[in-house]
Amino acid sequence: MSSPLFTIDLGTPVSKAVDWLTLHLGGVFDAISSVMTELVNAVLFVLTAPHMLVVTAVFTVLAFLARKWGFAAFTVVAFLLIQGMGLWTEAMQSLAVVLVASVLAVAIGVPIGVWAARGPVASAVVRPVLDFMQTLPVFVYLIPAVFFFGIGLVPGVVATTVFAIPPAVRLTELGIRQVDKEVVEAAHAFGAKPRQILREVQLPLALPSIMAGVNQVIMLALSMVVIAGMVGAAGLGTVVVRGISQLDVGVGFQGGLAVVFLAIFLDRTTGALATPRRRRPRKNRAVSPPAAADEASTLAPEPAVTASA
């Protein structure tokens, strides 16, 4: 067996850095943990305080507004099945974590995307970081989160937030870069300041791309929530992990099916926000015969040569 030319121990300095951060910034991590816990508990209270049928009715209305009757019917059946399987509380726990993590990821990712769209230097700095984040194995996100926040809900929320940031950054940058340069130059010509151009021209025109990024953030957050069940984050991930650890196919299937229902609901609902609504074409107004004759006479070409008497 051949020996390597040289060895590099990158694990030891990383471990020392984690120990130093845990020792000197323990108060900061405790504060973050408290804020995360309160946010998730507040959202979970909103989702679980009303009766299950009331929440299902609200979801159905959202589905109808997004995709009309077919998707509304699917939403009713899906959430009634979740209730029937006895996974309503777990589904709402996962939904609460997804909502909190998605809001945090969008709040962090959109400003970074705006900054990256302002110049090539910023984009060159951000892009390799995003590539690194998106190629990193999913389970690796859980390691520092567990070291800093322990086992439970908070490391799941933190890992989910970090994991879901890249789509918000990329699609915000893409949307702003795709804004027509002539429109931006016209705003400059009318004396608009850079902040006004960003707020009143670029962001509104880039909104479909930004909303597509929000959709991707939510989907990535949902996928990470299931994996976060391995570190004790309550929700459907715990059900799936229990089914795998106990080799209980039924439990695992029910948990996975509930995750699929949540994913379809969130994807179709938020995807409708990213799709511009089509306007119905206006019908041509009926033209009265005299008006049509007058219009035809005005449009008809005059004879080039008049007949001589």
Side-chain angles (χ1 to χ4, degrees), residues 170-232:
R170 287 192 189 278
L171 289 174
T172 300
E173 179 186 359
L174 178 66
I176 293 178
R177 287 188 182 278
Q178 286 182 338
V179 173
D180 193 348
K181 292 182 179 179
E182 293 183 357
V183 177
V184 178
E185 290 175 359
H188 274 295
F190 280 100
K193 297 180 180 179
R195 287 188 178 180
Q196 284 182 307
I197 295 174
L198 175 66
R199 188 176 62 251
E200 299 177 9
V201 176
Q202 290 177 314
L203 286 179
L205 292 177
L207 192 58
S209 180
I210 295 173
M211 293 309 300
V214 172
N215 173 264
Q216 293 301 307
V217 165
I218 292 175
M219 299 312 296
L220 282 181
L222 184 59
S223 66
M224 188 65 187
V225 159
V226 176
I227 298 172
M230 299 180 66
V231 295

Side-chain angles (χ1 to χ4, degrees), residues 97-145:
V97 174
V98 167
L99 292 178
V100 171
S102 299
V103 169
L104 294 175
V106 170
I108 297 171
V110 170
I112 296 176
V114 172
W115 178 64
R118 303 302 292 270
V121 177
S123 179
V125 172
V126 169
R127 190 166 298 172
V129 177
L130 297 179
D131 293 340
F132 176 77
M133 292 175 68
Q134 290 189 305
T135 54
L136 204 64
V138 177
F139 294 97
V140 177
Y141 285 91
L142 297 175
I143 298 173

Side-chain angles (χ1 to χ4, degrees), residues 62-84:
L62 293 176
F64 174 75
L65 294 176
R67 301 282 179 175
K68 302 302 178 185
W69 287 111
F71 185 52
F74 166 80
T75 303
V76 173
V77 174
F79 283 97
L80 288 179
L81 274 177
I82 291 176
Q83 296 174 28

Side-chain angles (χ1 to χ4, degrees), residues 15-60:
S15 298
K16 290 182 178 179
V18 170
D19 293 339
W20 187 89
L21 289 173
T22 307
L23 180 63
H24 294 86
L25 299 180
V28 176
F29 295 133
D30 291 340
I32 294 173
S33 178
S34 300
V35 172
M36 293 285 186
T37 305
E38 292 298 328
L39 286 175
V40 173
N41 287 337
V43 176
L44 184 60
F45 175 78
V46 173
L47 292 174
T48 56
H51 193 272
M52 292 181 286
L53 295 179
V54 175
V55 179
T56 302
V58 173
F59 290 161
T60 305

